[in-house]
Amino acid sequence: EAVERAKAVVEQKNPDLPEDKKAEIAKAVGIGAVKYADYSNNRTSDYIFSFDKMLAMDGNTAPYMQYAYARIKSIERKAQSKEVNIDTELAGVKSLNLTEPAELDLAKHLIRYSEAIQSAVADYRPNYLTAYLYELAQKFSAFYTNCPVLVAGPDKRPTRLLLCDLTARTIKHGLHELLGIEVVEQM
């Protein structure tokens, strides 16, 4: 049922996508939503099973996390069309230029990833990891809103591209590698 509901949303938001792509996204989002809902709750707490809450595009849900990842991948696709070579710019990063509060906040949060993993493992509480990932997605959203990436000057863009790259890798690692939830590059 979660996959079917997710497919209806994909149909509504991206009707031009090929059918196989819609099915792939719906499966990742639908199944991911159910898994994430389980993981994000304290294992000793009761919760009400609700597809509407699980599949919401806002709040501490898999679709919100998957959308954050897809948003970063969208930046990467736009970079190619603007002839910005991300690999070259990332390879040239010698020091970070973190002057905006949203940049600094995101960078500080990224550094705490291993702490979140250690806490989740030590206490057998995957909800610690989902809380970290949700906060990361929120901090990335604030960064995305306040710190243009592709139109930034040559002094800022490499650091911002690096923050995007590290955020995408962290979300993918947390969701896919640790929680078994697929990420999608487009939603």
Side-chain angles (χ1 to χ4, degrees):
E1 185 173 338
V3 173
E4 289 301 315
R5 287 177 180 232
K7 179 111 190 257
V9 173
V10 173
E11 289 281 354
Q12 178 186 9
K13 301 258 184 201
N14 278 319
D16 298 335
L17 284 176
E19 287 303 315
D20 60 329
K21 191 72 172 163
K22 289 179 191 174
E24 176 188 325
I25 293 168
K27 182 177 178 188
V29 172
I31 292 172
V34 175
K35 284 182 176 182
Y36 191 91
D38 245 2
Y39 294 141
S40 65
N41 287 291
N42 182 337
R43 70 186 187 305
T44 60
S45 299
D46 292 337
Y47 73 93
I48 296 172
F49 187 94
S50 166
F51 281 121
D52 291 336
K53 285 184 182 178
M54 289 176 190
L55 291 164
M57 288 298 288
D58 57 350
N60 191 7
T61 65
Y64 180 75
M65 300 303 309
Q66 291 164 317
Y67 178 72
Y69 181 81
R71 180 185 271 180
I72 298 168
K73 292 301 175 180
S74 172
I75 292 170
E76 291 175 7
R77 286 190 300 276
K78 287 178 186 167
Q80 289 174 346
S81 71
K82 293 183 182 227
E83 297 187 21
V84 173
N85 188 322
I86 294 175
D87 293 334
T88 302
E89 291 207 23
L90 292 180
V93 174
K94 302 289 183 238
S95 64
L96 299 178
N97 185 353
L98 301 168
T99 56
E100 297 295 322
E103 293 170 323
L104 207 50
D105 199 30
L106 179 58
K108 286 178 181 178
H109 194 70
L110 283 163
I111 292 169
R112 295 184 36 236
Y113 184 47
S114 65
E115 294 172 22
I117 295 171
Q118 289 170 353
S119 294
V121 169
D123 294 342
Y124 305 106
R125 303 272 301 267
N127 60 304
Y128 290 169
L129 179 58
T130 59
Y132 169 87
L133 292 171
Y134 175 57
E135 195 173 339
L136 176 62
Q138 289 180 310
K139 290 181 184 302
F140 178 78
S141 183
F143 162 78
Y144 181 82
T145 300
N146 296 304
C147 303
V149 176
L150 297 178
V151 297
D155 60 322
K156 301 293 283 170
R157 188 169 61 200
T159 296
R160 290 179 180 178
L161 286 169
L162 180 61
L163 288 171
C164 289
D165 182 59
L166 291 172
T167 301
R169 284 202 241 168
T170 303
I171 290 171
K172 183 175 183 176
H173 185 264
L175 287 180
H176 183 68
E177 302 299 324
L178 299 180
L179 299 175
I181 296 170
E182 295 296 322
V183 293
V184 291
E185 298 202 3
Q186 193 174 9
M187 283 185 74

